[in-house]
Amino acid sequence: MIVKNEEQIIRIISECKTKHSELLECEDVELKEFGSINALHNSKELAEEICALSNKNGGVVIVGIRDGSSVTGSSWATQLVGFEKEDIIEIEQRIKGKLKPSLDLTVKYYEFEGKNYLAIHAPQRRDTLVSTSSGKVCIRDGRSSRPMSPEEIQQSVSKLNNYDWSADIITGLDHSCFDEVSLEEAYQEYCTKKKYDEEGKPNQQAFLEAIGATSNGSILKSGVLFLGKEAIIREWLGVFEYRFTWKTRAGKLLINDVWDSNLWLSIKRAKRQFSACNTEHEITFKSKKYKCKTLDEVAFHEGFMNALVHRDYTKEGMVVVDFDTT
């Protein structure tokens, strides 16, 4: 997942033209200059910075910005040196190898005025503390990073048990992040089940608050996951995929449907695929004939919902339904 969107990244880079780079660093932004890709890979300090950001509130390291203390006069634009373009997958893997446990980093290049800048997004990981491979645990402290004291480590670990990933606010998003069809369908179904008449029906903003998709108007991760647009989910939360396969005992594949979407649409899609392969049979009991399905639809709904509700969304992955028939 990304911590800051493209507009925010470009704005930070642009401001380096007129300000000392240190003034643009904060609790969730670190600016770095590396002379080459090898210098980046060999840097121990980079892993410590990423570790520190993750153990605080998450943040981004932007590579390609020179330290303002080396600027002569007020020629701040000379801070924009850029960074060579290399394989982002290799960069991600090399950095992850210096962290314990592995962090769900996102590495992206951004272009500004003809130069490339590398942004390393380090999301907050609140199920565990992150350390460097050498065992160093760091924390972000204002504009800088430092090792955590034993007391800070103990206090941070004690807070992990109460963390609710879904309740995190995603700053920078508004209601346009929701898929219009999903939102309208969920809203109408909610009003129907609550038996609201037209006069007593809440508006969509109140509905989103009621189901925990927003908090005081701010967008929560749970809301994006449940009703968000596919691109927004991938950009801000990660890649959560779903697969439904139907194959015979002989190994013939009849359905192999793979997708990534919000939970509302994914539940509907999985149930639609289930209905397509859940064949109907006729049985005779005490001289009477009855029609029944191979599997119970309510039981499938319950099982699929459990798989969605109880999975760990701090990690990317896939929920799979395998349907086998004779």
Side-chain angles (χ1 to χ4, degrees), residues 95-113:
I95 296 174
K96 287 180 180 180
K98 296 179 181 179
L99 302 171
K100 290 185 177 179
S102 180
L103 190 62
D104 186 23
L105 296 172
T106 298
V107 176
K108 297 186 71 173
Y109 275 100
Y110 298 92
E111 191 273 336
F112 178 74
E113 294 187 350

Side-chain angles (χ1 to χ4, degrees), residues 5 47 50 61 63 70 99 104 155 192 228 263 277 297 309 311:
N5 61 26
I50 293 172
V61 178
V63 179
S70 62
L99 302 171
D104 186 23
Q155 292 173 3
T192 298
L263 293 182
C277 58
E297 294 181 2
V309 170
R311 66 151 295 175

Side-chain angles (χ1 to χ4, degrees), residues 243-245 259 266-278 294-308 319-323:
R243 187 179 75 202
F244 192 105
T245 63
W259 72 93
S266 293
I267 293 168
K268 292 179 60 179
R269 186 163 175 168
K271 291 178 71 174
R272 185 167 61 249
Q273 295 289 23
F274 173 80
S275 297
C277 58
N278 191 23
T294 302
L295 293 175
D296 183 72
E297 294 181 2
V298 176
F300 171 77
H301 176 83
E302 182 71 15
F304 189 65
M305 290 296 294
N306 279 328
L308 299 181
V319 173
V320 178
V321 178
D322 287 324
F323 193 98

Side-chain angles (χ1 to χ4, degrees), residues 3-4 12 21-32 45-62 120 122-124 129-130 136-149 152 156:
V3 179
K4 292 186 178 294
I12 294 170
S21 61
E22 185 178 333
L23 298 178
L24 297 171
E25 293 182 327
C26 56
E27 196 173 78
D28 62 355
V29 175
E30 175 69 23
L31 305 177
K32 289 287 183 187
E45 182 184 350
L46 178 60
E48 293 174 4
E49 296 286 5
I50 293 172
C51 166
L53 291 168
S54 178
N55 287 333
K56 189 69 172 180
N57 298 313
V60 61
V61 178
I62 303 175
I120 305 168
Q124 182 183 31
L129 289 178
V130 178
K136 198 170 184 178
V137 182
C138 300
I139 189 72
R140 193 72 176 170
D141 190 357
R143 292 173 175 165
S144 60
S145 302
R146 59 172 176 78
M148 294 179 73
S149 68
E152 287 176 319
S156 297

